[in-house]
Amino acid sequence: MRGGRSDPYGGSTSFKSFGVKMRSTFALFCLSILVPLLTTSVQAHDPGAASATSSSIPAGARDAAAVVEAFHRSLKNGNPSVAPALLDSSALIYESGGVERSKAEYAGHHLTADAEFSKSTTQTVKSQSGEAIDDVAWIATESRTSSIYKGRAIDISSTEPMVLRRFGKIWKIVHIHWSSGK
């Protein structure tokens, strides 16, 4: 078909309307991430504000938050074989300026070290927020990790946004961005 593409359900869609639909979906996704982050940033930086708990996650995003919790629990318990099952095969993971572009790449490179670190340290969640819109969810966590690790004191403030996608009834992590500082 000239000037359009075939729809897998038998119809046709012009490139122009497809592009508009994709831009609208992308804009909605960006807004769903930015608006809550901007509106919660005051509470997150107010030392007198109460820490958020998993109950502050909207009902529609709680199943996605449970996947994030299960991912961390598998690392903490020294059972890193569970973590990859919670990642989509094309998961994109950013950490300390580096990138791993798939579940297989992460499992082959940093998963074991992340599990060792998690098992040996104490992480305290300071704030967690999230949202789910249709089959996409985000869970943003601020935490503090402290302990003695490999003979040196660790005291790190971290942020961790995760993006998840629902496949049927199952949420999978499609993106993680770990960022930390003192």
Side-chain angles (χ1 to χ4, degrees), residues 38-145:
L38 292 173
T39 58
T40 60
S41 65
V42 172
Q43 177 185 358
H45 292 95
D46 177 2
S51 293
T53 63
S54 60
S55 64
S56 67
I57 303 292
R62 288 190 187 140
D63 288 344
V67 170
V68 171
E69 290 172 23
F71 179 84
H72 285 292
R73 192 171 43 254
S74 73
L75 295 178
K76 183 74 174 168
N77 292 338
N79 187 4
S81 61
V82 174
L86 303 171
L87 296 170
D88 182 63
S89 61
S90 63
L92 182 64
I93 301 164
Y94 291 166
E95 181 177 14
S96 301
V99 62
E100 291 167 316
R101 290 180 169 79
S102 69
K103 168 173 57 177
E105 189 175 338
Y106 174 66
H109 293 132
H110 288 107
L111 174 64
T112 303
D114 287 349
E116 180 184 324
F117 181 79
S118 183
K119 189 175 179 179
S120 302
T121 59
T122 301
Q123 181 186 48
T124 304
V125 173
K126 299 294 183 184
S127 172
Q128 189 173 59
S129 57
E131 186 63 71
I133 298 174
D134 298 325
D135 291 335
V136 177
W138 61 267
I139 305 297
T141 307
E142 294 176 63
S143 64
R144 186 132 207 116
T145 301

